[in-house]
Amino acid sequence: MDFYEKSLNILELPTVLEMLAAEAVTDGGREACFKLRPSADRLEVKNRLAETSAAKEMMVVRGSPSLSGIKDIRPSLSRADLGGSLNTIELLNIARVLQCARLVKGYTSDDKLGKSCIDHLFAALHANRFLEEKITGSIVGEDEIADSASSELANIRRKIRAAGARVRDCLQKIISSPSYAKVLQEPIITMRSDRFVVPVKAECKGAIPGLVHDISASGATLFIEPMAAVKANNELRELAAKEKAEIERILAELSADCAAHAEDIASDYSYLITLDGIFARAKLSYKLNGIEPELREKGVVLRRARHPLLPKDKAVPISLELGEDFDTLIITGPNTGGKTVTLKTIGLLNVMAQCGLHIPADDGSGVPVYRHVLADIGDEQSIEQNLSTFSAHMTNIVHILGECDADSLLLFDELGAGTDPTEGAALAQSILSSLLERKVRTMATTHYSELKAFALSTPGVENASVEFDVESLRPTYRLSIGIPGKSNAFDISRKLGLPERLIDGAKELLSKEDIRFEDVIANAEYHRQIAEREREIAEETRRETVKLRDE
């Protein structure tokens, strides 16, 4: 597995593809969903997104096309093309594909919608109603050929019914005769070796002349075919052989018909599977309340974006921009504050868009088409490889720095953590500076004050923070751009009951610069929250004014 594929796993794209596959109705469609990967081709991404939007619009007006029950018929067609004879199940599967092609081809027959970018997929379906009905008219079940499949088969089966009636009449006379009542084990007609027989007591075997076809497990009963029934049973056997040969001829004929149209039928199957995948994307868009993101030249712009794997009541919307006014975003704040979720949300929505999936965000959201989205997120400690957390993360970072370019989006969780804080902060700053020079879009979470200061003093680098409610000791998960976050370690410790003298002792160990810096952050955050509240009040006032004016 290359590192790009590993990053897609870290961002949980496979889980989203599982959700997508659950919306498909065919095995081939589900398989295509699992194989979906982000495209780095801008035109391909644009077409994929347009297909999803077109299918979504169609579903509003027409509902979903009839695609269920389709099996992969290509191996069967290949065998038929080589002269092989298909069985009834294979032929019925082909008939189902032809039926779906016919029904789906008519899905766009009305004029309720204008032209769309997926109309050509419907138009390309061939269908073949004659062959479809020839198969379904000849095969009435997985193991049953209809009498109407051929006049010869109907004639043979009529003779079989007549011969069977003669045998049963002959045996019925024997089991109904009082003279045979004592020699019969039971007065019934049964079958052995495909021949009609009667059960006779072993000690009376000479009483009914005939052929012994079987003996019961106890040896007390012989299953005898009376001589009077032999001729009729022989006729039945001959007719059964003729019936089998005629059925094989019918199946061979139907198989040859399928082989004659194999290319069109295989093409129909491929188009139907493609449509199933597209409509699965449209259904997932509905499920996630998604929108088609704009394809931007540069940076990411997300408006109230939600993580698609979080419950709707727990997914706090995120709004941010990256790559326009700044290329590097440093996110700070306390643990459990939502920094990692923010990173995963940004990365996942980007790769979803490049797969042609709509993203759960508000209108106005847009993403570029990146060649790679590379992520180092989570606890990477590896006991098997004898790697510490720092070593494992640094191994990932080396891979990322080797693969990335200006068309990449990089996501680092706790960059430089797991080692001496001074050295870790210096390494992190050096890595970020190098990526900034290469104009690589980068997002990193950190606790290091040095990186907060680096963002404040470096053009092209911006701070962001996730809010934390110290009173409730709960993160709000709201992301604020432009202001670094406090770790809130002292406030959280105080709230949890740590003695004040210990907190004061810890403060004395901090340098004056650190204290001053945290105070500046706290002051900025305080004024930002006030401004946010005032903005909300102003917006509420504006809405009330508009309402009064309208009244």
Side-chain angles (χ1 to χ4, degrees):
M1 182 190 299
D2 61 18
F3 195 81
Y4 182 46
E5 194 70 23
K6 181 179 179 181
S7 293
L8 297 180
N9 287 339
I10 289 171
L11 294 172
E12 297 179 273
L13 178 64
T15 307
V16 173
L17 296 183
E18 284 181 18
M19 293 172 61
L20 176 64
E23 301 299 331
V25 296
T26 68
D27 293 340
R30 282 186 283 272
E31 186 179 345
C33 290
F34 282 121
K35 290 181 177 178
L36 193 60
R37 288 296 178 272
S39 171
D41 185 313
R42 186 180 182 84
L43 182 59
E44 184 179 358
V45 174
K46 182 179 179 181
N47 289 340
R48 286 181 178 182
L49 290 170
E51 287 171 350
T52 306
S53 296
K56 190 174 180 182
E57 187 177 355
M58 285 181 177
M59 286 172 60
V60 173
V61 178
R62 304 183 180 119
S64 299
S66 176
L67 291 162
S68 61
I70 299 175
K71 306 293 182 183
D72 188 353
I73 41 74
R74 291 171 297 185
S76 299
L77 290 173
S78 297
R79 197 151 49 79
D81 198 39
L82 294 171
S85 185
L86 307 182
N87 61 39
T88 53
I89 296 175
E90 290 174 303
L91 288 165
L92 287 174
N93 286 340
I94 289 173
R96 176 57 184 157
V97 169
L98 293 171
Q99 181 189 39
C100 279
R102 174 171 56 83
L103 295 174
V104 173
K105 192 174 180 67
Y107 177 77
T108 56
S109 59
D110 61 62
D111 295 324
K112 293 179 181 177
L113 293 170
K115 298 287 185 182
S116 84
C117 63
I118 59 174
D119 286 347
H120 69 283
L121 296 173
F122 294 97
L125 292 167
H126 300 89
N128 188 331
R129 188 159 193 165
F130 176 79
L131 180 55
E132 173 200 334
E133 292 181 349
K134 185 176 181 181
I135 294 172
T136 55
S138 299
I139 304 172
V140 293
E142 290 186 357
D143 297 306
E144 186 179 355
I145 304 296
D147 289 1
S148 57
S150 76
S151 58
E152 178 65 16
L153 182 64
N155 185 44
I156 292 170
R157 286 182 171 172
R158 187 167 53 253
K159 290 179 178 179
I160 288 174
R161 287 191 287 273
R166 287 196 299 274
V167 174
R168 283 190 293 273
D169 285 346
C170 174
L171 297 181
Q172 187 65 40
K173 290 177 182 177
I174 293 174
I175 65 174
S176 303
S177 172
S179 58
Y180 290 116
K182 293 182 178 179
V183 302
L184 293 174
Q185 196 70 263
E186 288 180 89
I188 61 170
I189 300 169
T190 185
M191 296 282 289
R192 286 296 186 273
S193 304
D194 295 327
R195 299 177 78 88
F196 287 102
V197 295
V198 291
V200 178
K201 295 175 182 178
E203 62 271 19
C204 304
K205 65 179 181 180
I208 299 180
L211 304 175
V212 177
H213 284 282
D214 198 6
I215 303 173
S216 67
S218 64
T221 305
L222 303 180
F223 295 93
I224 295 177
E225 177 187 6
M227 294 305 295
V230 170
K231 183 178 178 181
N233 265 328
N234 286 343
E235 185 183 354
L236 270 177
R237 178 69 68 89
E238 290 171 11
L239 288 169
K242 288 182 179 180
E243 179 189 35
K244 182 180 179 184
E246 179 60 14
I247 288 173
E248 288 175 352
R249 189 199 65 77
I250 292 167
L251 294 178
E253 180 183 315
L254 292 172
S255 301
D257 290 340
C258 292
H261 299 90
E263 190 174 334
D264 288 348
I265 299 170
S267 173
D268 281 353
Y269 173 77
S270 295
Y271 283 122
L272 291 170
I273 292 305
T274 299
L275 285 167
D276 189 24
I278 292 171
F279 276 89
R281 303 203 303 257
K283 293 172 193 172
L284 184 63
S285 178
Y286 270 117
K287 197 169 188 176
L288 298 177
N289 195 22
I291 57 106
E292 179 184 345
E294 301 168 10
L295 287 186
R296 301 173 58 83
E297 289 296 331
K298 279 187 172 183
V300 180
V301 174
L302 294 177
R303 307 280 183 240
R304 293 182 56 78
R306 284 94 55 198
H307 194 291
L309 302 180
L310 290 177
K312 290 181 180 179
D313 57 340
K314 293 185 179 180
V316 177
I318 297 168
S319 298
L320 65 79
E321 297 182 13
L322 173 68
E324 292 288 347
D325 299 329
F326 52 89
D327 289 331
T328 303
L329 187 66
I330 295 176
I331 305 175
T332 48
N335 287 329
T336 71
K339 302 191 298 297
T340 303
V341 172
T342 299
L343 281 188
K344 283 192 171 184
T345 302
I346 307 311
L348 182 55
L349 297 194
N350 266 274
V351 296
M352 282 176 63
Q354 288 178 226
C355 286
L357 300 173
H358 286 180
I359 61 173
D362 284 2
D363 289 332
S365 299
V367 296
V369 177
Y370 291 113
R371 190 171 70 87
H372 286 318
V373 177
L374 302 171
D376 175 43
I377 300 174
D379 184 4
E380 286 289 321
Q381 187 176 37
S382 173
I383 296 173
E384 290 180 6
Q385 299 177 24
N386 196 28
L387 292 177
S388 66
T389 300
F390 176 77
S391 299
H393 278 293
M394 194 50 62
T395 301
N396 289 344
I397 290 167
V398 169
H399 282 299
I400 290 172
L401 296 178
E403 289 188 28
C404 72
D405 57 19
D407 290 327
S408 300
L409 173 65
L410 308 188
L411 306 168
F412 297 109
D413 191 22
E414 299 297 347
L415 183 60
T419 187
D420 176 79
T422 305
E423 293 180 356
L427 271 173
Q429 186 170 324
S430 177
I431 291 167
L432 292 175
S433 297
S434 171
L435 293 170
L436 185 62
E437 288 176 11
R438 295 164 60 183
K439 298 189 178 300
V440 182
R441 275 70 176 181
T442 307
M443 292 179 64
T445 66
T446 185
H447 283 293
Y448 295 140
S449 296
E450 293 89 339
L451 294 186
K452 301 176 190 178
F454 168 69
L456 288 171
S457 61
T458 308
V461 184
E462 187 62 88
N463 270 305
S465 58
V466 285
E467 291 180 5
F468 189 88
D469 187 341
V470 178
E471 291 303 314
S472 65
L473 293 181
R474 293 178 180 274
T476 67
Y477 298 105
R478 293 190 185 92
L479 186 71
S480 302
I481 306 294
I483 297 174
K486 282 189 69 177
S487 68
N488 292 304
F490 293 155
D491 292 335
I492 293 172
S493 300
R494 180 181 295 109
K495 191 73 178 176
L496 291 173
L498 191 69
E500 194 68 34
R501 60 184 177 79
L502 296 179
I503 296 172
D504 291 340
K507 285 182 177 180
E508 290 176 6
L509 297 175
L510 287 176
S511 67
K512 292 181 179 179
E513 289 77 10
D514 288 335
I515 296 171
R516 193 180 304 118
F517 187 70
E518 287 294 314
D519 287 344
V520 168
I521 292 175
N523 188 48
E525 174 63 11
Y526 170 73
H527 286 291
R528 188 200 65 77
Q529 291 183 9
I530 290 177
E532 180 70 18
R533 283 196 293 271
E534 289 177 348
R535 188 194 65 76
E536 290 173 358
I537 292 169
E539 178 62 23
E540 181 62 30
T541 303
R542 186 193 67 79
R543 284 196 293 267
E544 289 178 359
T545 302
V546 169
K547 183 180 178 182
L548 287 170
R549 182 197 66 192
D550 292 344
E551 289 175 353

